[in-house]
Amino acid sequence: MNTLMIILRLIHIIGGVFWVGTSLLFSFFIIPSIRATSEVEQNFWGLLIKTHLAEAHGISAILTVLAGAGLYWIDSQGFTSGWMTSGPGLGFGIGGIFGFLGVITSILVALPLRALAETAAQIQGSPTPEQMDKIQAAQKRLGVMGRIDSAVLIIALICMATARYWRF
Ligand code: HEM
């Protein structure tokens, strides 16, 4: 069991670092920087699709949540023990709910990101008015969803990082 816990914790924490780290980096630094330099944005979104960042982001989110569910299952002895209503049990449980919500908000971020990358990849020379409309609409959705996603993931992270010390 000890080896399984170590493997699940490694997958969970490394996956979580990558998932939440890239989400926050995008929302707070990369998207605002690109908005400030509009000439590079089409190239940037076009190049981004080739790096498979969206796929890596999605896989890390799924691995984090699956390993987290496995850890919770082991800690709670299959959802039966009193640990679930203890301080740490509640903390990891609440954090887990926000983690699951984070998968949904991360998907809602990935959709406009993909739309942006695909539109940018189709641009030859200057964008047509229709392409510009698509880019602007996707950027707007990305800005809003990015902020919601960051808030949800920060709450999950705060609960996960502190749950072990919750005492009631
Ligand atoms: C945003 C997503 C998540 C992040 C960044 C994250 C991060 C972490 C971190 C850093 C720890 C180590 C805490 C410590 O040892 O004190 C941890 C532990 C844990 N996480 Fe998460 N987590 C996330 C999502 C989830 C989900 C969805 C679940 C499922 C219920 C979950 C269940 C757990 C459990 C049960 C532990 C304790 C493992 C143990 O007993 O050592 N986590 N998480």
Side-chain angles (χ1 to χ4, degrees), residues 39-92:
E39 320 87 64
V40 294
E41 78 191 29
Q42 292 148 26
N43 287 340
F44 177 83
W45 297 122
L47 283 172
L48 191 69
I49 202 168
K50 296 190 184 133
T51 66
H52 301 293
L53 175 70
E55 287 85 348
H57 191 244
I59 291 168
S60 65
I62 290 165
L63 288 178
T64 305
V65 167
L66 287 181
L71 288 167
Y72 193 88
W73 173 264
I74 293 170
D75 283 339
S76 65
Q77 293 164 0
F79 303 125
T80 59
S81 78
W83 175 85
M84 285 193 295
T85 48
S86 70
L90 285 173
F92 286 121

Side-chain angles (χ1 to χ4, degrees), residues 6-109:
I6 290 172
I7 293 169
L8 287 177
R9 276 182 68 95
L10 281 175
I11 295 172
H12 187 63
I13 295 174
I14 295 170
V17 166
F18 183 81
W19 173 24
V20 179
T22 47
S23 294
L24 300 187
L25 179 73
F26 249 83
S27 291
F28 291 116
F29 299 98
I30 295 184
I31 292 173
S33 314
I34 290 171
R35 279 190 166 162
T37 53
S38 57
E39 320 87 64
V40 294
E41 78 191 29
Q42 292 148 26
N43 287 340
F44 177 83
W45 297 122
L47 283 172
L48 191 69
I49 202 168
K50 296 190 184 133
T51 66
H52 301 293
L53 175 70
E55 287 85 348
H57 191 244
I59 291 168
S60 65
I62 290 165
L63 288 178
T64 305
V65 167
L66 287 181
L71 288 167
Y72 193 88
W73 173 264
I74 293 170
D75 283 339
S76 65
Q77 293 164 0
F79 303 125
T80 59
S81 78
W83 175 85
M84 285 193 295
T85 48
S86 70
L90 285 173
F92 286 121
I94 295 168
I97 291 169
F98 277 92
F100 278 110
L101 278 179
V103 175
I104 299 168
T105 53
S106 288
I107 291 171
L108 294 176
V109 168

